[in-house]
Amino acid sequence: MVEPMHSSTRLEREKWMKDAKFNLFNLKSSQVYIDLLTDSGTGAMSQEQWSAIMSGDESYAGSASFYDLKNTITDLTGFEYVLPTHQGRAAENVLFSVMVKSGDIVPGNAHFDTTKGHIEFRKATAFDCTIDEAADTSIYHPFKGNLDIRKLENILDVYGKDRVPMLIVTVTCNSTGGQPVSMQNLREVREFANKYELPIIFDSARFAENAYFIKEREEGYADKDIREIVREMFSYADGMTMSAKKDGIVNIGGFIALKDEKLYKEASTFNIMFEGYLSYGGMAGRDMAALAQGLRESTTFSFLESRITQVHYLGKLLKDYDIPVQEPFGGHAIFIDALKFIPKVPKEEYVGQTLAIELYLESGVRAVEIGTLLADRDPETRENRYPKLELVRLAIPRRVYTNLHIEYIAAAMKNVYDRRDKITRGYLIMDEAPIMRHFTVELEKAGDSSL
Ligand SMILES: *Cc1c(COP(=O)(O)O)cnc(C)c1O
Protein backbone atom coordinates (compact mmCIF):
# COMPACT_ATOMS: atom_id res chain seq x y z
CA MET A 1 0.00 0.00 0.00
CA VAL A 2 1.16 3.51 -0.74
CA GLU A 3 0.26 5.92 2.06
CA PRO A 4 0.37 9.72 2.26
CA MET A 5 3.02 11.58 4.28
CA HIS A 6 2.30 14.66 6.38
CA SER A 7 4.76 17.54 6.58
CA SER A 8 4.55 20.21 9.26
CA THR A 9 6.35 23.26 10.66
CA ARG A 10 8.51 23.43 13.76
CA LEU A 11 5.96 25.73 15.40
CA GLU A 12 3.16 23.20 14.84
CA ARG A 13 5.31 20.39 16.20
CA GLU A 14 6.17 22.33 19.34
CA LYS A 15 2.49 22.76 20.09
CA TRP A 16 1.62 19.14 19.28
CA MET A 17 4.47 17.81 21.41
CA LYS A 18 3.34 19.88 24.39
CA ASP A 19 -0.29 18.77 23.88
CA ALA A 20 0.98 15.17 23.75
CA LYS A 21 2.58 15.66 27.21
CA PHE A 22 5.99 15.03 25.62
CA ASN A 23 5.09 11.40 25.00
CA LEU A 24 5.66 10.47 21.34
CA PHE A 25 3.07 7.69 21.59
CA ASN A 26 0.43 10.38 22.11
CA LEU A 27 1.04 12.04 18.72
CA LYS A 28 -1.43 11.50 15.89
CA SER A 29 0.04 9.88 12.79
CA SER A 30 -0.92 13.02 10.85
CA GLN A 31 1.48 14.96 13.09
CA VAL A 32 4.38 12.72 12.08
CA TYR A 33 6.39 13.05 8.85
CA ILE A 34 8.49 9.87 8.94
CA ASP A 35 7.42 7.31 11.50
CA LEU A 36 10.25 5.29 13.04
CA LEU A 37 8.41 4.58 16.28
CA THR A 38 8.47 0.88 15.48
CA ASP A 39 8.88 -1.69 12.74
CA SER A 40 5.99 -3.60 14.32
CA GLY A 41 2.95 -4.03 12.09
CA THR A 42 4.05 -1.06 9.98
CA GLY A 43 5.44 -2.97 6.99
CA ALA A 44 3.91 -2.92 3.52
CA MET A 45 2.37 -6.20 2.38
CA SER A 46 3.19 -7.68 -1.03
CA GLN A 47 0.77 -8.35 -3.88
CA GLU A 48 0.90 -12.05 -2.96
CA GLN A 49 -0.07 -11.22 0.61
CA TRP A 50 -3.00 -9.07 -0.54
CA SER A 51 -4.09 -11.90 -2.83
CA ALA A 52 -3.96 -14.26 0.14
CA ILE A 53 -6.21 -11.83 2.04
CA MET A 54 -8.81 -12.17 -0.73
CA SER A 55 -8.77 -15.96 -0.69
CA GLY A 56 -8.58 -16.47 3.09
CA ASP A 57 -10.79 -19.15 4.63
CA GLU A 58 -12.93 -17.88 7.53
CA SER A 59 -14.16 -21.24 8.83
CA TYR A 60 -14.27 -21.21 12.63
CA ALA A 61 -12.54 -24.58 12.90
CA GLY A 62 -10.02 -26.25 10.62
CA SER A 63 -9.76 -23.46 8.04
CA ALA A 64 -7.44 -23.91 5.05
CA SER A 65 -5.70 -20.67 5.99
CA PHE A 66 -4.82 -22.10 9.40
CA TYR A 67 -3.30 -25.19 7.80
CA ASP A 68 -1.39 -23.03 5.33
CA LEU A 69 0.04 -21.10 8.30
CA LYS A 70 0.71 -24.19 10.41
CA ASN A 71 2.44 -26.06 7.58
CA THR A 72 4.57 -23.03 6.74
CA ILE A 73 5.67 -22.69 10.37
CA THR A 74 6.39 -26.41 10.70
CA ASP A 75 8.44 -26.33 7.48
CA LEU A 76 10.47 -23.36 8.66
CA THR A 77 11.01 -24.31 12.30
CA GLY A 78 10.41 -28.04 12.66
CA PHE A 79 7.80 -27.40 15.39
CA GLU A 80 4.71 -29.58 14.97
CA TYR A 81 2.34 -27.77 17.31
CA VAL A 82 1.11 -24.29 16.42
CA LEU A 83 -1.28 -21.95 18.25
CA PRO A 84 -2.20 -18.68 16.52
CA THR A 85 -2.57 -15.63 18.78
CA HIS A 86 -3.52 -12.04 18.05
CA GLN A 87 0.06 -10.78 18.54
CA GLY A 88 3.36 -11.54 20.27
CA ARG A 89 2.46 -10.52 23.81
CA ALA A 90 -0.64 -12.71 23.60
CA ALA A 91 1.60 -15.66 22.78
CA GLU A 92 3.64 -14.77 25.88
CA ASN A 93 0.49 -14.49 27.99
CA VAL A 94 -0.77 -17.92 26.92
CA LEU A 95 2.55 -19.75 27.22
CA PHE A 96 3.62 -18.09 30.47
CA SER A 97 0.22 -18.94 31.98
CA VAL A 98 1.42 -22.53 31.76
CA MET A 99 5.13 -22.11 32.44
CA VAL A 100 5.72 -19.20 34.85
CA LYS A 101 4.59 -18.97 38.46
CA SER A 102 5.23 -16.62 41.38
CA GLY A 103 8.82 -16.70 42.63
CA ASP A 104 10.25 -18.11 39.39
CA ILE A 105 13.46 -16.87 37.79
CA VAL A 106 13.50 -16.51 34.00
CA PRO A 107 16.98 -15.93 32.58
CA GLY A 108 17.43 -14.61 29.05
CA ASN A 109 19.16 -12.03 26.88
CA ALA A 110 17.71 -8.58 27.62
CA HIS A 111 14.02 -9.60 27.65
CA PHE A 112 11.74 -7.45 25.54
CA ASP A 113 9.44 -5.14 27.55
CA THR A 114 6.22 -7.15 27.09
CA THR A 115 8.10 -10.36 27.89
CA LYS A 116 9.44 -8.88 31.09
CA GLY A 117 6.00 -7.43 31.80
CA HIS A 118 4.35 -10.85 31.54
CA ILE A 119 7.03 -12.37 33.79
CA GLU A 120 6.81 -9.65 36.44
CA PHE A 121 3.02 -9.61 36.31
CA ARG A 122 3.24 -13.22 37.56
CA LYS A 123 5.57 -12.10 40.39
CA ALA A 124 8.52 -13.84 38.79
CA THR A 125 11.88 -12.23 37.91
CA ALA A 126 13.53 -11.78 34.52
CA PHE A 127 17.35 -11.95 34.71
CA ASP A 128 19.38 -10.41 31.92
CA CYS A 129 22.30 -12.66 30.99
CA THR A 130 23.49 -10.86 27.84
CA ILE A 131 27.25 -10.66 27.29
CA ASP A 132 28.86 -7.50 28.72
CA GLU A 133 30.01 -6.29 25.30
CA ALA A 134 26.37 -5.53 24.45
CA ALA A 135 26.35 -2.56 26.83
CA ASP A 136 29.29 -0.78 25.21
CA THR A 137 28.24 0.82 21.92
CA SER A 138 31.83 1.43 20.82
CA ILE A 139 33.02 -2.21 21.01
CA TYR A 140 32.64 -4.28 17.85
CA HIS A 141 31.21 -7.72 18.52
CA PRO A 142 29.40 -9.52 15.69
CA PHE A 143 26.80 -11.09 18.01
CA LYS A 144 25.87 -8.68 20.77
CA GLY A 145 22.68 -10.63 21.42
CA ASN A 146 24.67 -13.60 22.79
CA LEU A 147 24.06 -14.98 26.26
CA ASP A 148 26.88 -15.26 28.77
CA ILE A 149 26.93 -18.90 29.89
CA ARG A 150 28.76 -17.96 33.12
CA LYS A 151 25.90 -15.65 34.04
CA LEU A 152 23.42 -18.47 33.42
CA GLU A 153 25.53 -20.85 35.55
CA ASN A 154 25.61 -18.28 38.30
CA ILE A 155 21.81 -17.94 38.37
CA LEU A 156 21.37 -21.70 38.53
CA ASP A 157 23.94 -21.84 41.36
CA VAL A 158 22.17 -19.15 43.35
CA TYR A 159 18.52 -20.11 42.79
CA GLY A 160 18.59 -23.78 41.83
CA LYS A 161 16.92 -25.32 38.81
CA ASP A 162 13.50 -25.77 40.41
CA ARG A 163 12.88 -22.05 40.31
CA VAL A 164 13.87 -21.72 36.64
CA PRO A 165 10.98 -22.80 34.38
CA MET A 166 12.78 -21.98 31.10
CA LEU A 167 15.41 -19.91 29.33
CA ILE A 168 14.27 -17.22 26.90
CA VAL A 169 16.48 -16.40 23.95
CA THR A 170 15.40 -13.36 21.97
CA VAL A 171 16.41 -13.45 18.28
CA THR A 172 17.43 -10.85 17.33
CA CYS A 173 17.80 -9.16 20.70
CA ASN A 174 15.65 -6.04 20.41
CA SER A 175 16.61 -4.39 23.70
CA THR A 176 20.37 -4.42 23.01
CA GLY A 177 19.87 -2.90 19.58
CA GLY A 178 18.47 -5.53 17.22
CA GLN A 179 21.62 -7.55 17.79
CA PRO A 180 21.87 -11.16 16.63
CA VAL A 181 22.67 -14.34 18.56
CA SER A 182 25.24 -16.61 16.94
CA MET A 183 24.57 -20.25 16.08
CA GLN A 184 27.55 -21.16 18.25
CA ASN A 185 25.92 -19.39 21.21
CA LEU A 186 22.54 -21.06 20.55
CA ARG A 187 24.36 -24.40 20.62
CA GLU A 188 26.11 -23.53 23.91
CA VAL A 189 22.84 -22.40 25.49
CA ARG A 190 21.31 -25.72 24.39
CA GLU A 191 24.13 -27.68 26.04
CA PHE A 192 23.71 -25.65 29.19
CA ALA A 193 19.94 -26.21 29.21
CA ASN A 194 20.39 -29.94 28.66
CA LYS A 195 22.62 -30.13 31.72
CA TYR A 196 19.79 -28.77 33.90
CA GLU A 197 16.91 -30.19 31.82
CA LEU A 198 15.51 -26.73 31.12
CA PRO A 199 13.32 -25.89 28.13
CA ILE A 200 14.41 -23.08 25.82
CA ILE A 201 11.87 -20.74 24.28
CA PHE A 202 12.90 -18.39 21.49
CA ASP A 203 11.26 -14.98 21.46
CA SER A 204 11.38 -14.99 17.69
CA ALA A 205 10.01 -11.70 16.34
CA ARG A 206 13.06 -11.17 14.09
CA PHE A 207 14.32 -14.71 13.61
CA ALA A 208 14.82 -14.24 9.85
CA GLU A 209 16.99 -11.16 10.39
CA ASN A 210 18.98 -13.19 12.92
CA ALA A 211 19.52 -15.89 10.28
CA TYR A 212 20.74 -13.26 7.81
CA PHE A 213 23.40 -12.08 10.30
CA ILE A 214 24.53 -15.68 10.90
CA LYS A 215 24.93 -16.09 7.15
CA GLU A 216 26.85 -12.82 6.84
CA ARG A 217 29.04 -13.02 9.95
CA GLU A 218 29.48 -16.55 11.23
CA GLU A 219 32.05 -18.94 9.88
CA GLY A 220 30.63 -21.86 7.98
CA TYR A 221 27.28 -20.27 7.07
CA ALA A 222 28.07 -18.03 4.08
CA ASP A 223 26.92 -20.63 1.56
CA LYS A 224 23.89 -21.84 3.50
CA ASP A 225 20.35 -20.91 2.54
CA ILE A 226 18.42 -18.65 4.98
CA ARG A 227 15.83 -21.40 5.54
CA GLU A 228 18.52 -23.96 6.35
CA ILE A 229 19.92 -21.56 8.94
CA VAL A 230 16.46 -20.86 10.38
CA ARG A 231 15.84 -24.59 10.70
CA GLU A 232 19.12 -25.13 12.54
CA MET A 233 18.45 -22.19 14.87
CA PHE A 234 15.10 -23.61 15.95
CA SER A 235 16.58 -27.10 16.35
CA TYR A 236 18.15 -25.75 19.56
CA ALA A 237 14.80 -24.60 21.00
CA ASP A 238 11.79 -26.35 22.51
CA GLY A 239 9.38 -23.73 21.32
CA MET A 240 8.84 -20.18 20.26
CA THR A 241 6.66 -17.16 20.76
CA MET A 242 6.29 -14.93 17.74
CA SER A 243 5.18 -11.41 17.06
CA ALA A 244 4.22 -11.77 13.40
CA LYS A 245 4.12 -7.97 13.09
CA LYS A 246 7.88 -8.07 12.59
CA ASP A 247 9.35 -10.82 10.42
CA GLY A 248 5.85 -12.06 9.51
CA ILE A 249 5.40 -8.75 7.61
CA VAL A 250 1.73 -8.47 8.59
CA ASN A 251 -0.08 -5.67 10.35
CA ILE A 252 -1.33 -7.87 13.20
CA GLY A 253 -0.77 -11.45 14.35
CA GLY A 254 1.36 -13.84 16.33
CA PHE A 255 1.71 -17.46 17.34
CA ILE A 256 3.23 -20.06 19.63
CA ALA A 257 4.97 -23.08 18.12
CA LEU A 258 6.11 -26.05 20.20
CA LYS A 259 7.92 -29.34 19.99
CA ASP A 260 6.11 -31.00 22.86
CA GLU A 261 2.50 -32.17 22.65
CA LYS A 262 1.92 -32.05 26.42
CA LEU A 263 2.94 -28.39 26.65
CA TYR A 264 0.81 -27.67 23.58
CA LYS A 265 -2.24 -29.24 25.23
CA GLU A 266 -1.73 -27.23 28.41
CA ALA A 267 -1.28 -24.02 26.44
CA SER A 268 -4.34 -24.83 24.31
CA THR A 269 -6.66 -24.33 27.28
CA PHE A 270 -5.34 -20.82 27.86
CA ASN A 271 -5.38 -20.08 24.13
CA ILE A 272 -9.09 -20.93 23.94
CA MET A 273 -9.76 -18.82 27.04
CA PHE A 274 -7.75 -15.72 26.11
CA GLU A 275 -7.39 -15.75 22.32
CA GLY A 276 -9.82 -17.95 20.42
CA TYR A 277 -10.31 -21.46 19.16
CA LEU A 278 -7.14 -23.44 18.33
CA SER A 279 -7.29 -22.91 14.58
CA TYR A 280 -7.57 -19.11 14.66
CA GLY A 281 -6.58 -17.82 18.14
CA GLY A 282 -7.47 -14.19 17.63
CA MET A 283 -6.62 -13.98 13.94
CA ALA A 284 -8.94 -13.82 10.93
CA GLY A 285 -8.44 -16.60 8.38
CA ARG A 286 -7.36 -13.94 5.89
CA ASP A 287 -4.74 -12.63 8.24
CA MET A 288 -3.35 -16.13 8.80
CA ALA A 289 -3.10 -16.58 5.02
CA ALA A 290 -1.24 -13.26 4.64
CA LEU A 291 1.06 -14.25 7.49
CA ALA A 292 1.90 -17.62 5.94
CA GLN A 293 2.88 -15.78 2.76
CA GLY A 294 4.78 -13.11 4.72
CA LEU A 295 6.86 -15.79 6.48
CA ARG A 296 7.75 -17.31 3.12
CA GLU A 297 8.88 -13.89 1.87
CA SER A 298 10.84 -12.81 4.94
CA THR A 299 12.90 -15.98 4.91
CA THR A 300 14.45 -15.21 1.53
CA PHE A 301 17.92 -13.74 1.13
CA SER A 302 16.80 -11.11 -1.40
CA PHE A 303 14.23 -9.62 0.97
CA LEU A 304 16.56 -9.65 3.98
CA GLU A 305 19.45 -8.20 2.03
CA SER A 306 17.47 -5.21 0.72
CA ARG A 307 15.91 -4.55 4.13
CA ILE A 308 19.04 -4.79 6.23
CA THR A 309 21.14 -2.90 3.67
CA GLN A 310 18.69 0.00 3.96
CA VAL A 311 18.88 0.00 7.76
CA HIS A 312 22.69 -0.04 7.54
CA TYR A 313 22.67 2.82 5.04
CA LEU A 314 21.08 4.97 7.74
CA GLY A 315 23.69 3.76 10.24
CA LYS A 316 26.53 4.64 7.91
CA LEU A 317 25.20 8.14 7.20
CA LEU A 318 24.92 8.83 10.93
CA LYS A 319 28.37 7.45 11.60
CA ASP A 320 29.82 9.63 8.86
CA TYR A 321 28.39 12.59 10.81
CA ASP A 322 30.21 11.28 13.94
CA ILE A 323 26.90 10.59 15.68
CA PRO A 324 27.37 7.88 18.36
CA VAL A 325 25.45 4.78 17.31
CA GLN A 326 25.31 1.17 18.54
CA GLU A 327 27.68 -0.95 16.48
CA PRO A 328 27.56 -3.17 14.66
CA PHE A 329 24.26 -1.87 13.27
CA GLY A 330 21.19 -3.90 14.19
CA GLY A 331 18.75 -5.64 11.87
CA HIS A 332 15.61 -3.56 12.20
CA ALA A 333 16.83 -0.28 13.60
CA ILE A 334 19.70 2.06 14.29
CA PHE A 335 20.19 2.92 17.93
CA ILE A 336 21.65 6.28 18.95
CA ASP A 337 23.71 6.39 22.16
CA ALA A 338 21.96 9.29 23.89
CA LEU A 339 24.34 9.41 26.89
CA LYS A 340 27.17 10.20 24.50
CA PHE A 341 25.03 12.48 22.31
CA ILE A 342 23.73 14.80 25.06
CA PRO A 343 25.91 14.05 28.09
CA LYS A 344 24.88 17.19 29.97
CA VAL A 345 21.27 16.10 30.54
CA PRO A 346 20.99 14.53 34.05
CA LYS A 347 19.98 10.87 34.04
CA GLU A 348 16.99 11.72 36.27
CA GLU A 349 15.61 13.77 33.36
CA TYR A 350 15.32 10.91 30.82
CA VAL A 351 18.18 11.39 28.38
CA GLY A 352 16.88 9.08 25.64
CA GLN A 353 13.41 10.60 25.73
CA THR A 354 14.92 14.10 25.58
CA LEU A 355 16.81 13.25 22.41
CA ALA A 356 13.79 11.59 20.78
CA ILE A 357 11.74 14.75 21.47
CA GLU A 358 14.49 16.96 19.99
CA LEU A 359 14.52 14.86 16.80
CA TYR A 360 10.76 15.16 16.45
CA LEU A 361 10.77 18.94 16.99
CA GLU A 362 13.59 19.28 14.47
CA SER A 363 12.11 17.21 11.68
CA GLY A 364 8.78 15.46 12.35
CA VAL A 365 10.65 12.14 12.55
CA ARG A 366 9.20 10.02 15.35
CA ALA A 367 11.65 7.67 17.10
CA VAL A 368 11.34 5.91 20.43
CA GLU A 369 13.25 5.92 23.71
CA ILE A 370 14.84 2.64 24.78
CA GLY A 371 16.12 3.82 28.14
CA THR A 372 15.01 4.66 31.65
CA LEU A 373 11.33 5.25 30.81
CA LEU A 374 11.16 1.81 29.20
CA ALA A 375 13.25 0.14 31.93
CA ASP A 376 10.57 1.27 34.42
CA ARG A 377 10.83 1.04 38.20
CA ASP A 378 12.09 -1.78 40.36
CA PRO A 379 8.93 -3.70 41.35
CA GLU A 380 10.14 -3.87 45.00
CA THR A 381 11.76 -0.50 45.71
CA ARG A 382 9.78 1.50 43.09
CA GLU A 383 13.01 3.36 42.28
CA ASN A 384 13.87 4.09 38.66
CA ARG A 385 16.02 1.36 37.10
CA TYR A 386 18.76 3.15 35.17
CA PRO A 387 19.92 0.89 32.35
CA LYS A 388 23.55 0.95 31.22
CA LEU A 389 22.45 2.33 27.87
CA GLU A 390 20.10 5.20 27.06
CA LEU A 391 19.15 4.64 23.45
CA VAL A 392 16.99 6.31 20.87
CA ARG A 393 15.76 3.71 18.42
CA LEU A 394 15.17 4.57 14.78
CA ALA A 395 13.17 1.51 13.68
CA ILE A 396 12.70 1.13 9.94
CA PRO A 397 9.35 -0.28 8.73
CA ARG A 398 9.68 -3.03 6.12
CA ARG A 399 9.25 -2.04 2.46
CA VAL A 400 7.87 1.44 3.27
CA TYR A 401 10.48 4.20 2.96
CA THR A 402 12.98 5.03 0.20
CA ASN A 403 16.62 5.89 0.67
CA LEU A 404 15.70 9.54 0.11
CA HIS A 405 13.68 9.35 3.33
CA ILE A 406 16.65 7.69 5.01
CA GLU A 407 18.84 10.65 3.97
CA TYR A 408 16.29 13.10 5.39
CA ILE A 409 16.36 11.27 8.73
CA ALA A 410 20.16 11.37 8.87
CA ALA A 411 20.25 15.10 8.02
CA ALA A 412 17.68 15.82 10.74
CA MET A 413 19.76 13.95 13.29
CA LYS A 414 22.85 15.88 12.23
CA ASN A 415 21.04 19.19 12.75
CA VAL A 416 20.26 18.14 16.32
CA TYR A 417 23.85 16.97 16.74
CA ASP A 418 25.19 20.36 15.64
CA ARG A 419 23.36 22.06 18.51
CA ARG A 420 23.84 19.29 21.09
CA ASP A 421 25.83 21.50 23.51
CA LYS A 422 22.72 23.61 24.09
CA ILE A 423 20.65 20.61 25.17
CA THR A 424 21.27 20.48 28.92
CA ARG A 425 17.92 19.73 30.53
CA GLY A 426 15.37 16.98 30.03
CA TYR A 427 11.90 16.12 31.34
CA LEU A 428 10.18 15.11 34.57
CA ILE A 429 7.34 12.62 35.03
CA MET A 430 3.94 14.09 35.88
CA ASP A 431 1.94 10.86 35.67
CA GLU A 432 2.76 7.21 35.04
CA ALA A 433 1.13 3.76 35.05
CA PRO A 434 2.33 1.08 37.50
CA ILE A 435 3.61 -1.20 34.70
CA MET A 436 4.83 -0.53 31.12
CA ARG A 437 4.66 3.17 31.88
CA HIS A 438 6.39 4.38 28.69
CA PHE A 439 3.26 3.93 26.58
CA THR A 440 1.16 6.38 28.60
CA VAL A 441 3.60 8.45 30.68
CA GLU A 442 3.02 12.21 30.88
CA LEU A 443 6.01 14.53 31.13
CA GLU A 444 6.87 18.19 31.59
CA LYS A 445 10.00 20.14 30.79
CA ALA A 446 12.66 20.28 33.49
CA GLY A 447 14.10 23.71 34.23
CA ASP A 448 15.17 25.82 31.28
CA SER A 449 15.39 23.73 28.16
CA SER A 450 17.22 24.51 24.98
CA LEU A 451 14.07 25.44 23.10
C1 LIG B 1 7.32 -6.93 19.42
C2 LIG B 1 7.96 -7.92 20.27
C3 LIG B 1 7.23 -8.67 21.20
C4 LIG B 1 5.75 -8.43 21.47
O1 LIG B 1 4.99 -8.60 20.35
P1 LIG B 1 3.64 -7.76 20.03
O2 LIG B 1 3.21 -8.30 18.73
O3 LIG B 1 4.02 -6.32 19.98
O4 LIG B 1 2.68 -8.04 21.12
C5 LIG B 1 7.89 -9.61 21.94
N1 LIG B 1 9.21 -9.80 21.79
C6 LIG B 1 9.96 -9.10 20.91
C7 LIG B 1 11.41 -9.36 20.77
C8 LIG B 1 9.36 -8.13 20.12
O5 LIG B 1 10.10 -7.41 19.27
Side-chain angles (χ1 to χ4, degrees), residues 158-318:
V158 174
Y159 297 100
K161 83 176 200 102
D162 291 344
R163 285 181 69 184
V164 180
M166 66 179 145
L167 307 179
I168 294 183
V169 181
T170 309
V171 289
T172 58
C173 188
N174 194 346
S175 311
T176 61
Q179 298 291 319
V181 181
S182 72
M183 198 71 92
Q184 173 67 20
N185 191 247
L186 294 178
R187 234 175 264 129
E188 288 165 6
V189 174
R190 179 76 262 173
E191 274 167 34
F192 172 84
N194 286 351
K195 193 164 109 191
Y196 295 95
E197 295 171 26
L198 301 174
I200 301 175
I201 300 296
F202 284 2
D203 181 0
S204 315
R206 299 178 186 82
F207 72 94
E209 292 178 3
N210 200 90
Y212 174 86
F213 284 118
I214 288 175
K215 183 177 168 74
E216 292 295 295
R217 295 181 187 164
E218 195 161 350
E219 216 186 305
Y221 289 91
D223 296 327
K224 292 220 157 94
D225 185 69
I226 292 292
R227 296 212 181 126
E228 250 181 292
I229 297 172
V230 165
R231 190 75 184 225
E232 186 184 340
M233 281 168 53
F234 284 110
S235 75
Y236 303 122
D238 297 280
M240 67 190 287
T241 53
M242 176 74 187
S243 168
K245 304 171 73 171
K246 286 56 171 262
D247 278 352
I249 333 183
V250 288
N251 304 120
I252 192 78
F255 58 86
I256 299 166
L258 300 165
K259 213 181 243 176
D260 178 47
E261 188 180 7
K262 182 167 164 283
L263 185 55
Y264 164 78
K265 284 196 168 150
E266 287 168 344
S268 294
T269 308
F270 290 102
N271 215 65
I272 292 171
M273 253 193 326
F274 296 151
E275 292 296 296
Y277 181 65
L278 303 178
S279 62
Y280 72 86
M283 293 185 79
R286 298 174 200 292
D287 286 346
M288 289 190 286
L291 170 54
Q293 177 59 27
L295 289 169
R296 293 192 285 268
E297 291 174 16
S298 75
T299 48
T300 60
F301 182 73
S302 59
F303 163 73
L304 289 165
E305 185 186 36
S306 71
R307 159 155 183 73
I308 293 178
T309 303
Q310 183 180 51
V311 173
H312 289 197
Y313 179 52
L314 175 59
K316 186 184 173 303
L317 291 177
L318 294 173

Side-chain angles (χ1 to χ4, degrees), residues 355-408:
L355 182 55
I357 291 168
E358 287 295 332
L359 177 65
Y360 172 73
L361 295 176
E362 176 69 34
S363 61
V365 173
R366 173 160 67 172
V368 75
E369 183 246 34
I370 307 274
T372 308
L373 279 182
L374 180 72
D376 220 319
R377 293 178 190 277
D378 185 291
E380 298 294 316
T381 66
R382 301 306 298 157
E383 293 296 323
N384 266 333
R385 285 189 283 214
Y386 293 102
K388 288 190 205 119
L389 287 177
E390 280 280 345
L391 299 168
V392 171
R393 185 183 76 175
L394 307 173
I396 311 296
R398 292 164 184 76
R399 308 192 286 209
V400 171
Y401 292 114
T402 69
N403 282 0
L404 206 57
H405 299 122
I406 297 289
E407 286 162 15
Y408 175 91

Side-chain angles (χ1 to χ4, degrees), residues 337-347 351 417 420-421 423-424:
D337 188 334
L339 292 174
K340 288 189 187 155
F341 195 118
I342 40 170
K344 289 181 189 153
V345 177
K347 74 176 197 305
V351 185
Y417 197 56
R420 64 189 180 281
D421 288 345
I423 305 170
T424 57

